[in-house]
Amino acid sequence: MTPDFLLTAALAAREHAFAPFSKFKVGAAVEDESGHIHSGCNVESATYGLTVCAERIAIFKAISEGARQFRRVAVAADTDLLTPPCGACRQILWEFCGDIEIALVNPRGKIETYRLKDLFPKPFDVSFL
Ligand code: THU
């Protein structure tokens, strides 16, 4: 089977998670329009509330590096019931990626694929402004 570099990048990013409070390590990776992969991990704050999820770190890193269109997203966490993006991340993913394919993965190689529209069926976005 061909290695899926996006899933590998999400799993690798997870190893960098800064999660001393929850101990729940998450990695994410997005592939942009030119095939570049941008990854991120969750970064927790002692305030708890200022914690930023892996998905938003990956997207904001990509945007800040000039990427504007995305092909796929992967999210990695060590759960048997694969971890989906939280509500805040679904909103940001929708705004920057639209109805993108989202692959969920765990370190034991379990993989599931979704469309964002199915996870986030009635989004608010710029079209309402
Ligand atoms: N977390 C993510 O990074 N992504 C998600 O979609 C779900 C939650 C992080 C935030 C926090 O550091 C930890 O997981 C526990 O909620």
Side-chain angles (χ1 to χ4, degrees):
M1 205 174 84
T2 330
D4 187 323
F5 293 107
L6 195 68
L7 302 186
T8 304
L11 286 163
R14 182 178 168 271
E15 296 301 321
H16 298 135
F18 183 77
F21 309 111
S22 73
K23 318 273 189 230
F24 191 76
K25 300 198 299 179
V26 185
V30 285
E31 180 183 352
D32 71 20
E33 66 272 32
S34 47
H36 290 121
I37 291 175
H38 309 262
S39 64
C41 61
N42 53 329
V43 180
E44 297 187 346
S45 158
T47 66
Y48 291 24
L50 294 180
T51 290
V52 184
C53 293
E55 297 91 323
R56 276 174 287 153
I57 299 260
I59 290 287
F60 292 156
K61 276 178 65 186
I63 294 291
S64 73
E65 287 159 10
R68 287 294 183 272
Q69 288 191 306
F70 301 97
R71 294 176 179 162
R72 271 192 320 149
V73 184
V75 181
D78 189 358
T79 54
D80 290 322
L81 185 63
L82 295 175
T83 300
C86 79
C89 290
R90 292 178 202 203
Q91 175 68 35
I92 293 299
L93 286 169
W94 178 262
E95 289 188 48
F96 287 102
C97 308
D99 186 23
I100 198 167
E101 182 182 300
I102 303 183
L104 310 180
V105 63
N106 73 14
R108 289 166 294 290
K110 184 175 178 190
I111 300 165
E112 288 171 0
T113 304
Y114 296 87
R115 303 294 309 190
L116 182 55
K117 193 82 193 184
D118 296 322
L119 299 180
F120 199 52
K122 197 166 172 58
F124 173 81
D125 62 24
V126 67
S127 68
F128 290 93
L129 298 178

